Amino acid sequence: MMTNIVYDIFIEELKKKFPEKSQMANELAAILFIEKEAAYRRLRGEVPFSFAEVVSLSLHFGISLDEIICQDVLAIPWISFLLCDVDIIEPKEADYEVIQKQIDYIGIMAQDSESEFGWISDIITLPLVSIYEQLYNFYLFKWNYQFKNIDVIKKFGEIKSTERLRNISIEKFKRIRQFEKSILIFNDDTFIDLIDDICYFVNACLITKEEALLLKNDLHLLMNNLEGLAINGFADTGKKVEMYISLLKSYSDYAYFKSKNHQLTLIRSLTINGGYSADKHILQETKNLTSSLMRTATLISATGAVERIKFFEKQRAYLEECIF
């Protein structure tokens, strides 16, 4: 049974935490508040650890249950990714908790001296716009238009984020900026696709001309900040940033977070939400994709001035042409 395989892997990972095997039963008994003989019975396999005991031990020794479950990817492929599907218009407490746990995990990795963040996307996505109020609200508006109450269409001006959700999004943005190294890979049309989305809703009379101008102002601010980041090659936190422009499309939005002992991979879906995985295999596949795109992309951070200028001039020119 697969459950037995997973359990056996857990036991092996647990044993690795004890160089001195003679002390294993004593420490387990102390952690679980059980008799020493009861600990021995569990180690011999006569009595299984309860689910609550497995959770307690995994937390105490830093054993990733996600990684254990995902080790046999061929046997249980549906476990490799978990869908993070939260209601961002009317979030419940459970939605807040899901997002906060993810941010806390990212924060732990960011503190590591070997931390690295990678991001590949054909379009500007929510984490990059969280500090820009109008652009942030646009993503909420688009998600609401596509997935929530589709029979009742709301205009852009009717969609507002809760203050708590906005603050959590900004917190995530700040945590990401603390990673020692960040790799950002944009497509040559990254801003153009977002501008086209805004223009579509303007033509559909769901965004007013005045609101479009506010969105345009936020887009200019975002472009200016990204260009400054590319010129310096470092964030204002002092962390290194590598920015690339790729002519190849990724056809999705990928992000990975890694440190010496932890990893997390995200793949965007449903406009804002997405799947996430703590599996090392998934992380390596995403890093392989990143390396492949880097080989064919142009580095524009702290170098590549000509290509950097051309890229941002193209985005700004299109913005001025479409929204005026």
Side-chain angles (χ1 to χ4, degrees):
M1 292 176 60
M2 181 53 59
T3 52
N4 290 338
I5 295 174
V6 171
Y7 184 81
D8 290 344
I9 294 173
F10 170 77
I11 296 297
E12 291 304 312
E13 292 296 319
L14 183 62
K15 289 179 178 178
K16 292 178 184 177
K17 303 296 181 179
F18 293 91
E20 297 292 333
K21 303 302 181 186
S22 59
Q23 298 299 317
M24 192 172 178
N26 288 333
E27 188 162 349
L28 291 180
I31 295 169
L32 299 176
F33 301 102
I34 58 176
E35 297 293 331
K36 184 177 178 180
E37 181 56 35
Y40 274 123
R41 287 198 296 271
R42 283 160 172 75
L43 292 174
R44 290 194 296 265
E46 297 171 6
V47 177
F49 287 103
S50 69
F51 181 75
E53 290 172 341
V54 169
V55 171
S56 295
L57 293 172
S58 65
L59 290 173
H60 183 87
F61 291 107
I63 299 172
S64 172
L65 297 181
D66 282 346
E67 288 184 19
I68 291 174
I69 294 172
C70 291
Q71 279 193 34
D72 194 342
V73 177
L74 291 177
I76 46 173
W78 60 89
I79 298 294
S80 294
F81 270 95
L82 298 175
L83 179 63
C84 179
D85 184 16
V86 299
D87 188 329
I88 57 173
I89 303 299
E90 298 174 328
K92 299 178 176 61
E93 188 61 34
D95 294 322
Y96 287 119
E97 290 177 0
V98 167
I99 301 171
Q100 189 62 56
K101 285 180 180 178
Q102 186 185 104
I103 292 173
D104 290 343
Y105 192 53
I106 290 172
I108 291 171
M109 288 184 280
Q111 297 172 20
D112 191 278
S113 61
E114 300 179 19
S115 61
E116 180 178 309
F117 165 64
W119 181 70
I120 308 167
S121 184
D122 292 336
I123 189 170
I124 298 295
T125 51
L126 190 63
L128 281 180
V129 306
S130 57
I131 62 173
Y132 306 96
E133 184 177 4
Q134 300 302 320
L135 284 176
Y136 181 80
N137 285 336
F138 174 76
Y139 276 86
L140 270 59
F141 159 74
K142 183 180 176 183
W143 180 86
N144 185 79
Y145 179 84
Q146 292 178 313
F147 301 110
K148 188 176 176 66
N149 299 327
I150 59 176
D151 295 327
V152 182
I153 298 176
K154 290 188 176 182
K155 295 184 177 182
F156 175 70
E158 299 177 89
I159 301 296
K160 298 294 180 184
S161 169
T162 66
E163 182 177 357
R164 182 180 175 187
L165 185 62
R166 175 88 192 285
N167 289 338
I168 289 176
S169 298
I170 293 174
E171 181 187 354
K172 182 178 181 179
F173 175 77
K174 291 179 178 178
R175 297 279 181 94
I176 291 174
R177 286 161 56 83
Q178 294 298 322
F179 276 72
E180 289 295 325
K181 178 182 179 181
S182 295
I183 300 173
L184 310 178
I185 303 181
F186 295 98
N187 182 267
D188 194 47
D189 294 331
T190 291
F191 281 92
I192 290 175
D193 291 336
L194 174 55
I195 295 167
D196 283 343
D197 282 353
I198 294 172
C199 290
Y200 168 82
F201 289 112
V202 171
N203 293 331
C205 298
L206 295 177
I207 295 179
T208 67
K209 289 292 181 65
E210 292 77 14
E211 291 166 341
L213 290 174
L214 292 174
L215 286 164
K216 178 181 178 180
N217 183 62
D218 269 6
L219 280 167
H220 273 302
L221 290 173
L222 176 58
M223 290 180 194
N224 293 343
N225 287 337
L226 285 175
E227 186 173 27
L229 191 63
I231 291 171
N232 294 324
F234 289 88
D236 55 15
T237 56
K239 308 301 184 182
K240 184 178 181 181
V241 176
E242 294 181 6
M243 191 179 299
Y244 295 83
I245 302 301
S246 174
L247 295 178
L248 297 177
K249 287 186 174 293
S250 60
Y251 297 104
S252 190
D253 177 29
Y254 305 88
Y256 69 83
F257 308 83
K258 67 176 290 289
S259 62
K260 186 176 181 180
N261 298 314
H262 301 89
Q263 62 277 325
L264 184 68
T265 306
L266 304 176
I267 297 182
R268 180 176 60 88
S269 63
L270 307 178
T271 300
I272 289 178
N273 294 314
Y276 62 97
S277 173
D279 180 34
K280 292 180 180 179
H281 174 76
I282 299 295
L283 172 74
Q284 191 57 52
E285 289 293 305
T286 308
K287 283 183 63 64
N288 290 344
L289 173 63
T290 304
S291 298
S292 175
L293 288 174
M294 286 168 62
R295 287 197 296 269
T296 59
T298 302
L299 178 65
I300 64 168
S301 54
T303 186
V306 173
E307 293 300 322
R308 179 175 65 245
I309 292 170
K310 285 171 58 178
F311 171 73
F312 284 104
E313 283 186 348
K314 176 182 177 181
Q315 314 304 312
R316 290 189 179 103
Y318 193 77
L319 177 58
E320 292 298 329
E321 176 186 342
C322 295
I323 304 176
F324 52 88

